Every structure is written in structure tokens, then in C-alpha cells.
Amino acid sequence: PPPPVVAAAEASAGTSWLSVPKPHCTGQQRYPYASLPGVESQAPGSEHSWGIEGDRAILPPQPYEAHVATDAAPHPPVPSPSLSHPPGPSPSRVRAVGEPLPHAAGLLHTTGEAEYTDDAGAPPGTLHGWLIRAEQAPALLASVDAAAARQAPGVAGVFLHGDLPGNGINSMGPIAKDELCFAVKEVLYVGQVIGIVAASTAEQARHASSLVSVSYAPHPSPPVYTIDAAIASRSFFDGSTTGGISTDHQIEAGVVVEEALKEEGLVVVQGEFRMGGQEHFYLEPMTTLVMPTDDGGLSILCSTQAVDKTQKLICRVLGLPAAKVVAKCRRMGGGFGGKETRTVFPAAAAAAAAHALNLPVRLCLRRDVDMGMSGGRHPFVAKYTAAARPDTGEGPKLAAFKVQLYSNGGATLDLSGPVMDRALLHVDGCYKWPAFSARGIVCRTHTPPNTAFRGFGGPQGQLVVEAVLEHLASALAIPVDTLRASNWYKEGDALPFGTVLQPGEWRVPLAYTQLQQQADVAGRRAAIDKFNATHTWRKRGLALLPTKFGINFTAKFMNQGGALVHVYTDGTVLITHGGTEMGQGLHTKVCQVAARAFGIPVSSCHVAESASDKVPNAQPTAASAGTDMYGMATLDACRQILKRLAPVRARLGPAAPFAQLCLSAWLDRVDLSAHGFFAITDQRCGFDWDKPPGRNADGTPDQTVRGHPFNYFTQGVAAAEVEIDVLTGDHSILRADILVDLGSSINPALDIGQIEGAFVQGAGWTTTEELLWGDEAHPWVRPGRLFNAGPGGYKLPAFNDAPAELNVRLLSGVDNKVAVHSSKAVGEPPFFLGASVFFALKDALAAARQSHMNL
């Protein structure tokens, strides 16, 4: 018989993504070719001055530091300038800052020649470590018998808590010292470190670790693996287990929410919003090489974002002075926040073995071990009430928002408190709420401690408020874009924590309008409606999403950075700063800043490594603040040297090459080395959650007495268009348009790369990536274990998940007076824009519900 006739609208069900050729990804990268003055041009004591006093705080820019601004016309979409000869509008000088230069180690990355921690040559006799980890938790440790392991072939030693030095302290943690290097009486999560085996080979160490007999006894506390279980059992980080450090924080602004909700005519919604965690999945797992030194100290090569934490916490465990322990990091194969604190624990275990044996020890975690014990992004649950006034002529207006946030912090505190704090500081979104109340607390569970991850709680808070906005828009029966447009913050508005948006600094509404026009959102929505009307089983959706991401460490003391600059007599420059390189291009940008200061090619500047004996007491490379801190610290050091060179320059004349200038200065016994330092002014950093808020004249809360958490905001907007198979759930991103305000970019090529990577990572978090833990929702997984601890079960975005068309543009005609060379931080802020894919999928599913169920 003839085949049945299938209607065109129904035929889409017979198409599979597997049979459709994947088109090449296309798109444009556009950015203004400009370099504008930033904090380096501010006078001491001015509104935006930086936290250094004295005549060296500000020195007049040299002629070759003059700022340049051209029309906002884009540079070629795919620029490929040479590091040795960067292009510029004037051939008479070196521009450096603002150039789209490639990553300084980009060629090494792409050829596989870049050396990472596990590639480093080890001294003869180096041993390999393998961790002894808890196989069940929570549980008491009835006994640990390592006798068989000590007799295994190749084993040099097995080390447990009793083998640590007597003057050491077997407790660690970045805030609360509530985590042990080696477990003593109990284990609180599967994977917790009980000890370490050191052997001649990694396989011998792994085999010996399996011979360690660990007997467990029931724990007095019932297992708690999820936020729901923690809420039910009141298991929170409320100070009882963390030395009085509580994570129960609240922020309120405007009138009391309960009073605002009494207004007649309001549309009120209540709900709950949940989001899961995310695995960092850096390409290079946690790796450490510890080498004892002949003075009783240690030299530690570690893939870490925090050489200072690595140094000091290992000193704490082993009872060593910091002056004898040097931590170094050449580069990381990715970090994303996962190597800010969690690398310390395997590094400390390796250091304990190396110190005891007086032999080098290398430890590289296998991928499943890394994923199963290192923690990730915090899962969140939000319970909210929100209200809005229907349109009465001035557009629909938000009226009130009250939200309670819960996060899963894991078994120990780590950085979960500050992560929750940043979520609270971002849950207002980009919108004015006349009555606002947000409270958050971290849940204590028997899972590995969760930790920093790109965005550090900010994306979780932003995702909540955008979901609430969509809920309100649905209840009001209006498009969410209409609700947004009527409720943007305006210049002069105060944010919930008291910061006032200054004129010229609030750019989200401008960017939103520009992207709507440039991405032809109205025309594409019409095309999507037409497509959906003619396709039963495939639907398309489109969503726009804004972001406002605060830049700073909210702890005031962390907003500082140092740099050490050496100028050699051949005119080349060696820089060491407190930041670490994880592929984001920090070293490249720092070299650009130094090259501009000295008026030399970027190829004449080099950053060798990050090391605690070059720049001590450095803060972690986190909070997207690396260039802000270390770019300015480097510039400070350069200007000190330039001031010393000024008499020599006057004698030789402006045309003298820099190498001649340096040689002549050295012959004149001029110091060509300087330590630079930068600290954000007190008025623009620090927020004390323990201090109670004040009261404004009208009785509303005044949060400014607690401080100002952010120096500035990186802002942006994204529009994502998707297509979904409503029978299988498979989807593709047809197009994404991103517009980000980065002020005057130091390196547009690197910044656009960060935007693209962050967008895809954010899309993965909200769509394909799901961690499956053994808990009440997954009873088929062994309790407390991560089921999909590898790429086979954990679905990272792949080539097929990237947008078929990806357009990125940097907002033109904007500056940032409070950061180096008017730039803005870029690492974390664009991450949340990837969630536009999630909301576009919701838009597509709404069309499917309308088509199939008339909902």
C-alpha cells in the first residue's frame, strides 16, 4: 500500500538531530577601538582615587601613555595582530593597551607544548601519592589498618593523622578551620581524605591504598544529602559547627514587604525555584608536586588559583614557618573557582608525605576522584513571594519581593557563606523593588564541600529573580520584556545594599534597547511565531536576559594586590604579580599594561610564574578582579621605575631606545626594580554583614552603614534563539547575540573569548549539566556518592551545543573611571547570560503548550 500522507506540520517528528548535518558556527565579533583614562589618571583624594597615599600614588602619564579614542566602528571581526608589532592608529609610538592581541601562551596551548604542573620535570626519586578516601559517610571511624599497605611493593610510606608533626594543626579551611587534613574520628562525606600512600609509581600507590582496611561504625547523626533534608532537620551553618561563623544573613530595602502586600489590586505570586549544582570540569585535574628543601622547608608546584592559601595552610598543618615554604604556579589548565580553596587539601596531603619522607611527592587526582571529592557550584532553592501592579498608564510596576534562599554547602563551610552573600547581593536583578527582603542560609549536608564557581553565587541569585519576573509576567498576562522595560533601575536609584547608581554608569537599559534593535528581535519573534504555527513537534523560542554583576571581593581586606617588576639592561621586562594564569589571559593583559607604561612592544614583557617568594600574601585570583588588582599594581611599579629613569631620559633625549635608557641608568646605579601595590579605596569596597543596618529618615533600612560591596558593575544583555524537539527534549541554539559593557577593553580579543566561553558554560549549567548524587531522589545510587563522575555521564556542552550563530559586541562609547585604563572585569559577569538559553527553551515550551493543550 502507498505510504500514509503525513501533514507538513507533523513531518517534523521524523527529523532527528543526529541526521542533520551540523552547520559551521558563524558570527561576528565587534568592539570599539578605544583606550580611555581610568583610575590610574585619578588624583589622590579624588572620588575615585586608589588606596595608595604619597607622591608615588599618581605620576603624570608619559607621552607614550596618552589615551586614544576613535569612532565606534568595529575593528576587523577576526583580528590577528602580532605580539611583536601591535597595530595602532599612530606608528610613532606603542599603543599596547586596547589592542586585540592573542594570548601570550596561545601558541603553546594549541600545539600542546605548554607545560602544566604534571608535566614539570621531577627530581630523581620522586614518589607518587594516592589518597585514602572514605567509602561511606557519615560514619565513625572504628579502625584504620594500614599494615598490609605498608608492605605492598614500591610503598615508601602510608600517612594518617597520627603521622602529622606534633607542632602542626590538623585543621584547615579558608574561613572556618572546620576541615581536617586527615580524618580522625569520623568522616562526613564520601571521598573525605583519611590518609595518603606514597609509592614509586602511581599504580603502586593506588593498589596500596586499596589494601588499607577501614572499619566504619554508625554515625549518631542521620545522613543529610539534600537541601530539603537539611531544612527538615534544621541542619544549617548557623555558627554551631564553625566557631560562631553564621551564614544566616538578610538584606532589606524600602518599605516592609508585608505592609506593601496589603495594597489593593496587586497581582501576587508565590513559588519555589530550584537549581542544581555544576562541575568545574577544568581540563587539568588537581595536581601538586612537593619537593623538600635542604633547609627543612618545602617547594610546592601546584595547579592553584591561590598560592598564598596553599603556602599558609600547608604551613599550618606541618608546623612550618611561611618563610621556608614556597608555593608556585606556572599556569593552570582551567580553574573556574574550583582551584581557589579545594586544591589545598590534596596539596597538604602530598606535603605531609614529602615532609615526613624528605622526598619529592607528586599527586595528580584521577578525574573521577577529583569530581567525587572536590565540590562544585552550590545547588540553591528559593522560596518567594512577589507582587506587581497591573498597567495603569505608566506600565506594570513591581511592588514587592520577599525571598528565602537555601544553598547546599556540603559537609564543611569552605566559601559557602560568601557565595550565599553574593547571591543575596544579586537577587534584586536589574529592577527597582519598592519593598525588598532577601534572606539566605547555607545548609550543612553530608556531601563534599561546595565551593567557588564562576559567578560565586551571583548567577544563582540572578536566575531566581528572572524566574520570579517571568512568573509575575505570566500572572499579569503580559510579555516579560514589557515588565522589564517598566521597572529598570534608573540613574540615581539606590540598590538594596545602598549603593546609588551614578549618572553615566548605568547602561543595562541602553544595552537592552540596542540589542533588541541590532538583533532584530521583533522581526525574529514574528518569524518564530510563523515557524511554530507550521511545526507541530518542533518549536522555537527566543529570550532576552540582562545582567548586572558587582566587581570586588566583598571582604575589604582582600581588595589588594602586589607586583614585582624587573627591568633589564637590554630593555626587556620581567613581571611577577600575585595573580595566577588559568587561561584567562591575565598575564597577557599585565604585559600590555607594562608595555604601554614603558613604551615598548608587548613582546619585550614577560610573566614567568606566580610565586609566594616573589609576591607574598597574595589574594586568590578570583572575583574577576585579577586585571583590576594586578594591572594597577604593575603600573604602580612601572611608574616608580619611570620616575627614577626621568633624569636619564632628559639627558639622552626622547628618541633614545628604551634599552639604551636602561643600560645608561644601570651604569648610573639607578635601581631598575620595583614592587608595586594597589588597594581599592575604602569608600568603594567592604560590606560587613555582622553590622546591623541603620535607618533612613523615613524609617526604611539604611544598608550603607554596612559598607559598599562593589567598586562597579559589569553589565550586559544576551538574546538566545533555540529550537526544541518536544518529543525528545533535544534542542539546539540557533543564534545568540551578546552585548557587554566592558568599559575600554585592555584586550578585546581576550575579552570576547571570555564572553563566549562564559556564555556556553552558563548555557550548560542551565540545560545539559546535571550532577546525580546518591540521595532520596536517586535511591539507586549508593548513598552520598556522585554517580556521573566523568564525561561519560556528566554532559558538558559539546560542539553540537554551541550556537550555530554567535555574535558578540562590546558596548561602545563607555568608560570606567575606577579601574585600570578604564577597563572592566570580564571573567564571571557574562556567565549568567548563558541562562538566556534556558529561558528561550521555556518560551519554546510555552508555544508547545499553547499548540497542544491551549494553555
Side-chain angles (χ1 to χ4, degrees), residues 50-397:
W50 43 304
I52 301 178
E53 299 301 328
D55 57 1
R56 78 172 176 86
I58 295 294
L59 296 173
Q62 301 300 308
Y64 34 78
E65 285 190 85
H67 294 278
V68 177
T70 63
D71 294 336
H75 215 50
V78 189
S80 55
S82 164
L83 279 172
S84 300
H85 304 284
S90 172
S92 63
R93 60 179 173 80
V94 176
R95 185 170 182 261
V97 167
E99 295 296 331
L101 304 181
H103 192 291
L107 185 61
L108 298 178
H109 293 162
T110 53
T111 61
E113 296 172 277
E115 183 178 281
Y116 294 90
T117 300
D118 203 42
D119 301 319
T126 296
L127 302 172
H128 294 264
W130 196 274
L131 298 177
I132 304 165
R133 296 168 291 118
E135 294 295 322
Q136 64 184 64
L140 299 178
L141 289 177
S143 66
V144 179
D145 184 359
R150 290 191 170 98
Q151 300 302 315
V155 172
V158 179
F159 303 95
L160 308 173
H161 69 88
D163 300 305
L164 294 173
N167 62 335
I169 302 174
N170 184 26
S171 65
M172 298 185 292
I175 300 174
K177 301 297 184 283
D178 61 342
E179 188 161 2
L180 303 182
C181 178
F182 296 142
V184 179
K185 297 180 179 179
E186 63 179 0
V187 286
L188 298 176
Y189 61 92
V190 173
Q192 183 174 346
V193 179
I194 297 173
I196 185 171
V197 176
S200 298
T201 69
E203 180 55 31
Q204 288 175 330
R206 184 205 64 77
H207 172 68
S209 71
S210 69
L211 300 179
V212 177
S213 176
V214 181
S215 298
Y216 302 94
H219 198 277
S221 301
V224 174
Y225 298 123
T226 64
I227 293 175
D228 290 336
I231 294 173
S233 60
R234 305 296 298 171
S235 180
F236 302 121
F237 285 102
D238 54 9
S240 59
T241 62
T242 52
I245 300 173
S246 174
T247 64
D248 186 0
H249 290 159
Q250 184 173 14
I251 190 165
E252 295 179 311
V255 299
V256 177
V257 170
E258 287 73 16
E259 293 298 318
L261 291 174
K262 294 177 181 178
E263 180 182 334
E264 293 186 4
L266 291 180
V267 172
V268 180
V269 298
Q270 292 182 315
E272 185 175 282
F273 188 79
R274 296 169 175 266
M275 64 201 83
Q278 185 180 23
E279 164 59 28
H280 298 94
F281 218 99
Y282 25 70
L283 292 181
E284 175 201 28
M286 294 189 184
T287 308
T288 303
L289 173 61
V290 184
M291 296 167 284
T293 57
D294 60 5
D295 59 0
L298 296 173
S299 176
I300 304 161
L301 183 62
C302 186
S303 179
T304 179
Q305 295 173 236
V307 293
D308 181 71
K309 277 193 176 75
T310 302
Q311 174 203 28
K312 290 178 179 175
L313 289 178
I314 287 176
C315 289
R316 175 185 173 89
V317 169
L318 300 181
L320 294 174
K324 286 190 175 183
V325 175
V326 177
K328 300 178 181 180
C329 178
R330 177 70 183 93
R331 61 168 62 87
M332 285 168 277
F336 307 119
K339 294 179 179 177
E340 181 177 347
T341 61
R342 302 312 300 164
T343 53
V344 172
F345 303 95
H355 185 62
L357 295 169
N358 199 32
L359 288 171
V361 174
R362 186 193 294 275
L363 175 63
C364 180
L365 299 188
R366 199 171 61 191
R367 177 65 63 184
D368 61 314
V369 175
D370 190 309
M371 288 184 67
M373 66 177 289
S374 63
R377 186 180 298 278
H378 292 71
F380 266 65
V381 170
K383 300 183 179 183
Y384 63 85
T385 300
R389 303 181 193 90
D391 189 352
T392 57
E394 297 182 356
K397 291 297 181 181

